[in-house]
Amino acid sequence: MTTFSELGLAEPILKALAHEGYEAPTPIQSQAIPHVLRGKDLLGIAQTGTGKTAAFALPILNHLELNKRKPGRRACRVLVLSPTRELAGQILDSFRAYARFMKTTMALAIGGVPVGRQARALMPGVDVLVATPGRVIDLYDQGAVKFDEIEILVLDEADRMLEVGFVHAIRSIIAKLPAVRQGLFFSATMPKEIADLAERLLREPASVEVTPVAKTADRIEQSVLFMDQGAKGRVLADVLKSEPIDRAIVFTRTKHGADRVVRGLAGAEIAAEAIHGNKSQGQRERALQSFRQGRVKILVATDIAARGIDVDGVSHVVNYDLPNVPESYVHRIGRTGRAGASGIAISFCSGDERDDLKAIEKLIRQRVPHGASSHPDTKPDPRPAPGEPEAAAAGNGRGGNGRGGNRNGQRGGNRPAREGQRPGAPRSGERPSFAGRNPAPAPRPETAEAKHAAPRPASQPRPAQRGDVRRTSEHELAGVQFLSRKPTRDANSSARPAGNSPRNPAR
Ligand code: AMP
């Protein structure tokens, strides 16, 4: 197995890694670091939790260590762009941790905090600037930062930039870069617009891809429930009361929707906090802190706000609204089932969202099983059974109110009924149940690598090799296994959450 010292990293970095307690590089790290050290551009397909931050931070710091020079006034040598403030803060924390025995200068430029202080921090020039694209463009327009000394640009979670509406800002940053520079581009998925962006930034990039490996215990159990839009609040309250929830993130499409859900849950005596772009940075941090510390078990979030939230122990993800960007589904459900835990992802689908569901299923190449709920507001599965033509089933579920007609997910044989449960016969007074979700693994591509990576029998655990590498479908979701991110300080907050590792003290 490769070690960090075999990768050729400089001594102060190796010392910092030992201090962090990292024993060996993760697959994305051992694949990516040699390319970046050689100065190659890099296209990395990897989700958060695979160790990708260190995959770019370590070779960047190595470059800075071997090529020490003082940046000019207002200049930065490395610019790291992140789609959200929270993620930007976490990236900076990682850089600081890995550079703890170096004299690297760093700054953070994110929205939601006064721009003046950030401009002052940039005045003498910095080695590493971690930023959200909108704020860094503001600073550039004010003349507070220059891009002409950039040696390395990192675009992290590029696909999320699409949703946050940063693609234009990024194009404009790329256009201002010096001709000679290194580009590192990370994305979990590669929709066309993102592939175009990668093409603009990168020149003959090396490409690495890691897909987390499925392990039986780590599966995310997915299910979908069909209902009218107006019934979602009632069904949600019921789901949250009946499921064994440690922590749940409920996703809504809009900020107002998130607030409405929180109010509705309050009416059902379920405490929840909303986190979205209309909240101040302070409110977002407080909500996150409550969620991390378990004071509030339910966080209602929009996609954008949820990006970069890295909390372990999320037992449930509920898609109150289905995302209209199918890639978001992958990101959303990846919030649960982390760090070896099992996770449950329940999606609500109204009549208007059927196309969104179809797009998601196409992307993940998997049918999301119908959840077995007997809640009177849920409807039968309107989808045609596999192999059945669409038209034949077009009327299914339409106009049906689900009362007494719930098929409990049996259509198409996605999964067995719960023992003793008769399809189509909800029992009065019974709580909605989601038992028997998706017991079978998703279909895997039959490649040699996929076979190599297939889940092992329980008798052959492989505890150390988290996030193994293989080339396969980008969107394989049979179960995802992630490294858990240590709780890090939120951007601009000096407080660290409880449970902070002694190896990683507040900086
Ligand atoms: P990331 O995918 O960059 O969000 O990293 C996820 C978590 O894995 C972070 O908390 C890192 O501190 C941790 N991590 C990254 N690389 C390693 C490694 N080689 N060994 C152990 N933990 C790691």
Side-chain angles (χ1 to χ4, degrees):
M1 191 201 289
T2 332
T3 61
F4 283 114
S5 59
E6 278 166 4
L7 288 174
L9 294 169
E11 207 48 50
I13 300 174
L14 293 177
K15 208 167 134 192
L17 291 171
H19 193 274
E20 285 297 297
Y22 294 4
E23 280 162 14
T26 66
I28 184 92
Q29 290 161 7
S30 44
Q31 282 206 341
I33 290 173
H35 293 302
V36 185
L37 287 176
R38 277 206 310 275
K40 291 275 303 171
D41 282 5
L42 184 85
L43 177 65
I45 310 284
Q47 283 170 306
T48 184
T50 51
K52 73 178 160 57
T53 313
F56 61 81
L58 300 177
I60 286 175
L61 289 170
N62 201 77
H63 168 79
L64 294 173
E65 179 65 12
L66 300 186
N67 304 277
K68 287 187 189 136
R69 77 169 172 87
K70 196 175 162 359
R73 277 173 75 73
R74 299 192 175 86
C76 60
R77 299 181 60 189
V78 176
L79 175 61
V80 182
L81 295 175
S82 139
T84 67
R85 302 161 187 180
E86 284 81 7
L87 181 64
Q90 288 170 356
I91 293 171
L92 187 73
D93 276 351
S94 298
F95 266 95
R96 286 207 173 118
Y98 307 143
R100 75 170 70 236
F101 300 111
M102 294 167 54
K103 288 199 169 60
T104 320
T105 51
M106 301 180 195
L108 185 67
I110 55 172
V113 290
V115 74
R117 213 171 57 203
Q118 291 174 355
R120 277 194 298 284
L122 288 168
M123 204 95 84
V126 292
D127 292 315
V128 179
L129 175 61
V130 183
T132 47
R135 176 54 62 98
V136 82
I137 285 280
D138 284 351
L139 286 160
Y140 180 88
D141 289 343
Q142 293 174 22
V145 66
K146 297 191 304 180
F147 293 157
D148 54 352
E149 291 187 24
I150 290 180
E151 294 161 46
I152 305 175
L153 178 84
V154 181
L155 239 166
D156 196 18
E157 310 226 340
D159 46 353
R160 307 300 296 184
M161 299 283 192
L162 249 191
E163 284 167 38
V164 198
F166 277 150
V167 170
H168 183 73
I170 292 166
R171 278 202 200 111
S172 130
I173 294 167
I174 293 175
K176 294 175 175 62
L177 293 177
V180 179
R181 86 277 158 150
Q182 189 177 7
L184 312 178
F185 192 103
F186 290 86
S187 194
T189 57
M190 208 34 86
K192 187 175 174 314
E193 229 175 321
I194 291 308
D196 290 348
L197 210 54
E199 220 164 273
R200 266 169 208 259
L201 176 67
L202 306 174
R203 291 169 203 155
E204 297 175 19
S207 112
V208 299
E209 179 174 347
V210 298
T211 308
V213 168
K215 224 176 66 179
T216 319
D218 297 331
R219 296 240 184 82
I220 297 173
E221 299 175 8
Q222 303 171 65
S223 64
V224 58
L225 293 173
F226 297 91
M227 68 200 75
D228 288 333
Q229 186 65 28
K232 286 184 173 179
R234 292 188 292 279
V235 179
L236 178 67
D238 227 275
V239 166
L240 295 178
K241 282 183 176 168
S242 58
E243 286 278 309
I245 287 177
D246 295 326
R247 281 197 189 87
I249 303 180
V250 177
F251 283 95
T252 61
R253 215 178 263 180
T254 66
K255 303 168 195 171
H256 294 300
D259 287 332
R260 263 198 308 276
V261 167
V262 169
R263 283 197 300 274
L265 289 177
E269 296 183 341
I270 299 172
E273 292 259 15
I275 169 165
H276 55 63
N278 280 1
K279 302 261 176 186
S280 69
Q281 187 69 14
Q283 285 172 319
R284 279 155 58 130
E285 277 167 20
R286 276 194 296 280
L288 255 182
Q289 202 76 326
S290 301
F291 187 60
R292 277 209 180 98
Q293 294 174 349
R295 278 182 276 129
V296 165
K297 291 213 293 194
I298 293 148
L299 193 67
V300 184
T302 55
D303 285 301
I304 294 167
R307 198 64 200 144
I309 297 177
D310 216 337
V311 180
D312 287 339
V314 175
S315 57
H316 290 69
V317 164
V318 180
N319 291 312
Y320 185 89
D321 298 314
L322 283 179
N324 39 23
V325 178
E327 281 81 6
S328 294
Y329 179 83
V330 179
H331 289 289
R332 287 180 178 189
I333 74 166
R335 307 267 136 192
T336 181
R338 298 174 69 118
S342 61
I344 288 170
I346 302 165
S347 298
F348 292 178
C349 180
S350 68
D352 288 347
E353 293 171 313
R354 290 277 311 283
D355 285 345
D356 296 321
L357 179 62
K358 253 190 224 159
I360 289 163
E361 292 182 324
K362 189 164 165 233
L363 178 79
I364 65 175
R365 301 194 194 119
Q366 182 185 340
R367 183 177 165 112
V368 181
H370 186 203
S373 167
S374 59
H375 191 282
D377 282 320
T378 58
K379 294 184 170 204
D381 188 343
R383 296 169 295 181
E388 188 180 314
E390 179 76 12
N396 286 345
R398 299 253 179 265
N401 63 7
R403 286 173 225 282
N406 202 327
R407 279 179 289 154
N408 290 321
Q410 293 315 291
R411 182 157 200 115
N414 277 316
R415 58 189 179 73
R418 195 167 37 146
E419 216 180 323
Q421 186 179 18
R422 200 158 36 86
R427 282 160 285 192
S428 68
E430 188 182 60
R431 281 236 168 262
S433 153
F434 301 91
R437 274 172 298 243
N438 194 19
R444 296 176 162 273
E446 279 304 304
T447 60
E449 293 94 329
K451 279 184 195 132
H452 162 71
R456 288 165 184 234
S459 58
Q460 294 175 35
R462 41 183 311 178
Q465 298 171 25
R466 297 181 290 183
D468 281 13
V469 178
R470 70 200 152 94
R471 291 189 171 277
T472 181
S473 145
E474 297 170 27
H475 306 299
E476 195 168 325
L477 289 169
V480 285
Q481 187 181 4
F482 297 93
L483 293 176
S484 69
R485 181 180 273 280
K486 273 178 262 164
T488 53
R489 179 162 48 90
D490 278 329
N492 304 316
S493 147
S494 57
R496 271 186 178 268
N500 196 15
S501 155
R503 283 189 277 104
N504 193 15
R507 290 175 288 272

